[in-house]
Amino acid sequence: MTGHQLATTLALVATLVAQAMLPGWRLLVVTTGALASMVLSAVLGGVGAQALFAQVPWDVLVIVVVLGLFSEFLAASRAFGLLAVRAANLSGGRPLRLTVIFVVSMYAVSGVVNNLTALLLVLPVLLSLLKLLGTSQRHLTWTLGAVLVACNLGGAATPIGDFPAILLLGRGAMTFTDYLTRALPQTLVALGLFLGVVFVARPQRDLPQSPVNASLALTTMRALYRNVRVDRRLVVPGALGLLAMLAGWLLLPASWGLGPDVVAWAGAALVLWSLPSLGESLTRRRVDVEAVLFLLSLFLLVGAVRAAGTFELAGQALASLPLSPKGQVLVFLVIAAVLTGLFSAGPGMAALLDVAQGLAQHHPPEAIYVGLAMSVCAGSSLFLTAATSGPLTQSLTERAALRTRSDAPGRFGFFEFAPVGLLGFIVILGTGLAFVWASL
Amino acid sequence: MTGAVDLGTIEQAFRVAAAELGMCDAAWRFAQQLSTAGGPEVVEQVRDGLGRVFPVLDAVFSRHLASTPAPSGDASAAARACAGLRRLVLVGLEARWTDALVKQLEGVELAVLLPAALPGDVGRVMANLPPAVQHVTLDDFQRLAGPKSGLLTFVYGATAQGAFVLPEWVRAQGPDVRAQFRSFIGWAILDAPPDVYPRWLVEVPPTAFTALVS
């Protein structure tokens, strides 16, 4: 390894470790790390800053921004809040049924809108309902933990649900259809297995049934939404825009040169123009600058390492492992999952995709890429800190000031999530590995 | 746990409901639902367990147990008291009464100042009201001041000596504000003051209102 390779790799690893250890300063850490990486690359004889900026996959950033705006537009329609109330009614106030229905709902919602928006839309309703119904620490832990795992699975199920899949789509590694037809069944199987274990674990077992509380909770919930209506001015263009985007992603021939980024941009523009005042307001105020800066910094960090040829070295090291080619792929996917658990999904995917591209030259690319997406999804579920949705859930739960039936504060932190997260990790990774094994 | 009733959970549920529906409206809904699901003995049990914490619940449950029918939320008297106003700030929220009043005040610029003691989901509260109704706070409600502006609050029982209102009312209609608004309307939604210590409420002289309707 040359000094240049070592320096840029150390800059990447140090930044990933620092951002994982100092989540409150995450943005400052990664932007500073990106700056250090560019300086090191230029000073030590690597490529200059201009070349690194030229390597940034801007189309991926475009997709992140426009789908974020699309999510905000749909959120303003109140459709998801009302769906959550429907889900509450459907549960009949029964704790296990409530857990399962919200897990499935979260999976479905986070396949369409980004994970953070999905959580912000569904979680407040769920927390209100748990306060009205009463819950135990065990039930709370399993319910919120399972919802988080479902959120990650839903995000991995479609090419627009979360950043790792968007990266695959944006960089042209996979087409929309290829990703959807492979990832959707895998995530559904993982969800089914995970729910099966939840059934066996019986999270509601220390929660006595109370028909009085259940009926009180459901009627109160209906009262809290008594006049709330879906805003058709938003939901109709939102649905049409989504359909148009899906049609574009599925049907437009690649020879036209209109990639998924252009389709997403056009779809979002169409939707935002349907109500220009809201569209302008969202575009001015609700662009997720934090996500853009974070991802841009990661791309620069990874770009510097790539330009130094380090990923090729990593690929060679992987190929030299005394294992069969299948075994090498599985080792890579397990390492990818653990690294994602430690460093979170964005950095994990951005750094590992280059290594995966090396593997994809010798194996079916779709199997490798979707396997990587599943590994990243598993890693995102390992620890509460592995994806931004974890800390958000923790803070929303703290803000809800929920008390359990034993009159103790309802907690949902790192240690409460750990057993559910570990279960999710094992189930998702196991499912992903099984599919990859069968495809190779 | 008291018998079949989990008072801790009901208290938590009442806090959620009272924060977004108002204490009186939530209490009537709870009384009816508990009565349907568990019978009058459950209503009595909850009143005895939580009545001292929530005096409005205590008053409402007692009325329910005495077979007083739940109020329909008739807003005609309050709407008459608001005649001629172009802007109205509602200090506090009681869902069934607010919903009824808002329907009768078309053309009036309306704003709601939510109580701070029991914080709820402001977005959800406002989503239940017409889009034109604004959410204001104690810091900015005076932008609705003017010669045809009024403040209205809910009164949880009144006598010749005093009326029980939310603390926000005392802060909203101080001497500086009284010169800026034309009407200060009290809307009595309980026929008598609470029997227990009026926690969450403050007593103001009836003269604080230019009109006190029920």
Side-chain angles (χ1 to χ4, degrees):
Chain A
M1 215 174 189
T2 64
H4 171 212
Q5 287 172 332
L6 192 65
T8 48
T9 306
L10 278 178
L12 173 66
V13 173
T15 304
L16 295 186
V17 171
Q19 62 90 29
M21 292 178 71
L22 304 167
W25 298 350
R26 201 172 68 123
L27 213 51
L28 268 184
V29 168
V30 292
T31 47
T32 309
L35 173 67
S37 185
M38 284 194 292
V39 171
L40 283 171
S41 180
V43 170
L44 296 174
V47 297
Q50 271 191 330
L52 287 178
F53 274 114
Q55 287 179 13
V56 169
W58 296 102
D59 48 352
V60 173
L61 296 179
V62 165
I63 295 176
V64 168
V65 167
V66 297
L67 287 184
L69 286 174
F70 174 73
S71 295
E72 293 281 349
F73 189 91
L74 273 187
S77 75
R78 303 188 198 112
F80 295 107
L82 288 171
L83 278 178
V85 178
R86 281 275 174 89
N89 285 333
L90 202 62
S91 75
R94 292 182 200 161
L96 180 62
R97 209 193 272 191
L98 179 85
T99 306
V100 172
I101 288 174
F102 269 85
V103 165
V104 174
S105 307
M106 182 55 87
Y107 172 83
V109 172
S110 54
V112 181
V113 299
N114 69 55
N115 286 3
L116 294 186
T117 307
L119 274 174
L120 282 170
L121 293 171
V122 175
L123 212 54
V125 182
L126 176 60
L127 288 167
S128 294
L129 195 62
L130 289 173
K131 284 175 92 170
L132 292 167
L133 267 175
T135 187
S136 62
Q137 182 57 53
R138 180 183 167 77
H139 181 246
L140 178 71
T141 297
W142 275 94
T143 302
L144 296 184
V147 161
L148 257 185
V149 172
C151 188
N152 291 331
L153 273 171
T158 69
I160 56 168
D162 204 2
F163 166 71
I166 291 174
L167 185 63
L168 286 172
L169 190 69
R171 282 181 59 169
M174 290 188 82
T175 65
F176 188 91
T177 318
D178 280 344
Y179 185 89
L180 189 67
T181 51
R182 284 177 176 267
L184 186 65
Q186 293 191 33
T187 53
L188 277 172
V189 169
L191 183 71
L193 290 172
F194 182 72
L195 280 176
V197 182
V198 171
F199 267 112
V200 174
R202 296 181 64 235
Q204 82 290 5
R205 72 177 180 214
D206 63 345
L207 201 56
Q209 288 280 343
S210 171
V212 172
N213 282 344
S215 69
L216 199 58
L218 294 179
T219 51
T220 304
M221 207 67 198
R222 285 194 280 272
L224 296 181
Y225 285 85
R226 67 198 178 282
N227 297 327
V228 180
R229 301 285 178 268
V230 172
D231 193 334
R232 286 175 200 278
R233 293 171 312 152
L234 305 185
V235 85
V236 171
L240 290 176
L242 181 62
L243 284 175
M245 279 191 266
L246 287 172
W249 285 320
L250 292 169
L251 303 175
L252 280 183
S255 58
W256 287 18
L258 300 173
D261 49 334
V262 178
V263 171
W265 193 336
L270 201 73
V271 168
L272 294 172
W273 269 105
S274 69
L275 207 65
S277 56
L278 178 65
E280 179 74 9
S281 160
L282 289 177
T283 310
R284 286 184 185 210
R285 297 191 188 118
R286 307 294 290 198
V287 169
D288 193 348
V289 177
E290 184 184 334
V292 171
L293 275 179
F294 186 68
L295 295 175
L296 174 64
S297 303
L298 288 175
F299 289 141
L300 290 170
L301 277 158
V302 169
V305 177
R306 184 194 302 127
T310 313
F311 289 125
E312 287 163 25
L313 279 182
Q316 287 163 11
L318 195 63
S320 68
L321 285 176
L323 292 169
S324 66
K326 262 188 178 183
Q328 288 170 358
V329 171
L330 297 189
V331 166
F332 167 68
L333 294 177
V334 173
I335 292 173
V338 174
L339 288 178
T340 302
L342 296 174
F343 299 130
S344 89
M349 193 68 184
L352 294 163
L353 187 55
D354 280 286
V355 184
Q357 277 172 338
L359 286 171
Q361 289 170 3
H362 309 289
H363 300 285
E366 291 82 10
I368 299 294
Y369 292 135
V370 176
L372 178 60
M374 287 294 279
S375 289
V376 169
C377 176
S380 304
S381 304
L382 181 56
F383 300 123
L384 193 66
T385 46
T388 38
S389 49
L392 177 69
T393 305
Q394 184 176 13
S395 94
L396 286 173
T397 309
E398 280 167 7
R399 222 179 297 159
L402 192 150
R403 297 194 77 80
T404 64
R405 284 205 184 169
S406 53
D407 202 29
R411 293 181 310 274
F412 187 73
F414 185 90
F415 293 106
E416 284 79 22
F417 176 70
V420 188
L422 185 62
L423 172 68
F425 176 82
I426 292 168
V427 168
I428 299 169
L429 183 60
T431 308
L433 292 180
F435 272 86
V436 169
W437 184 265
S439 308
L440 293 181
Chain B
M1 204 67 125
T2 309
V5 178
D6 178 357
L7 278 180
T9 300
I10 291 179
E11 177 178 349
Q12 179 166 251
F14 185 73
R15 283 175 185 271
V16 173
E20 298 188 25
L21 300 171
M23 277 192 279
C24 197
D25 184 74
W28 277 111
R29 289 177 198 265
F30 270 48
Q32 285 167 317
Q33 195 56 36
L34 288 172
S35 187
T36 307
E41 60 278 10
V42 170
V43 178
E44 196 172 352
Q45 208 175 353
V46 173
R47 182 197 61 183
D48 294 345
L50 300 180
R52 287 187 184 279
V53 184
F54 302 108
V56 174
L57 177 146
D58 182 84
V60 168
F61 276 34
S62 295
R63 282 157 181 73
H64 179 84
L65 288 167
S67 301
T68 305
S72 60
D74 178 8
S76 44
R80 279 196 299 277
C82 296
L85 293 181
R86 285 201 185 148
R87 291 167 167 179
L88 180 69
V89 179
L90 299 177
V91 180
L93 180 111
E94 289 289 349
R96 73 186 63 190
W97 290 276
T98 304
D99 290 352
L101 181 64
V102 166
K103 277 184 196 154
Q104 296 201 21
L105 293 183
E106 276 182 23
V108 178
E109 188 179 343
L110 289 169
V112 177
L113 194 160
L114 296 171
L118 287 171
D121 182 336
V122 175
R124 187 160 57 195
V125 171
M126 297 309 294
N128 280 291
L129 298 168
V133 179
Q134 306 161 53
H135 170 234
V136 292
T137 65
L138 281 169
D139 290 333
D140 63 0
F141 78 96
Q142 288 178 69
R143 65 187 161 80
L144 280 98
K148 291 190 174 179
S149 298
L151 295 179
L152 180 148
T153 197
F154 300 98
V155 175
Y156 300 90
T159 62
Q161 288 74 41
F164 290 88
V165 293
L166 293 169
E168 279 74 13
W169 174 257
V170 179
R171 297 187 182 97
Q173 54 89 61
D176 57 330
V177 174
R178 292 198 76 87
Q180 299 174 18
F181 286 82
R182 188 182 85 181
S183 305
F184 299 86
I185 302 160
W187 186 0
I189 54 174
L190 269 182
D191 54 4
D195 293 329
V196 295
Y197 179 77
R199 190 180 165 193
W200 314 99
L201 305 174
V202 289
E203 188 176 6
V204 295
T207 51
F209 302 106
T210 53
L212 183 55
V213 299
S214 57

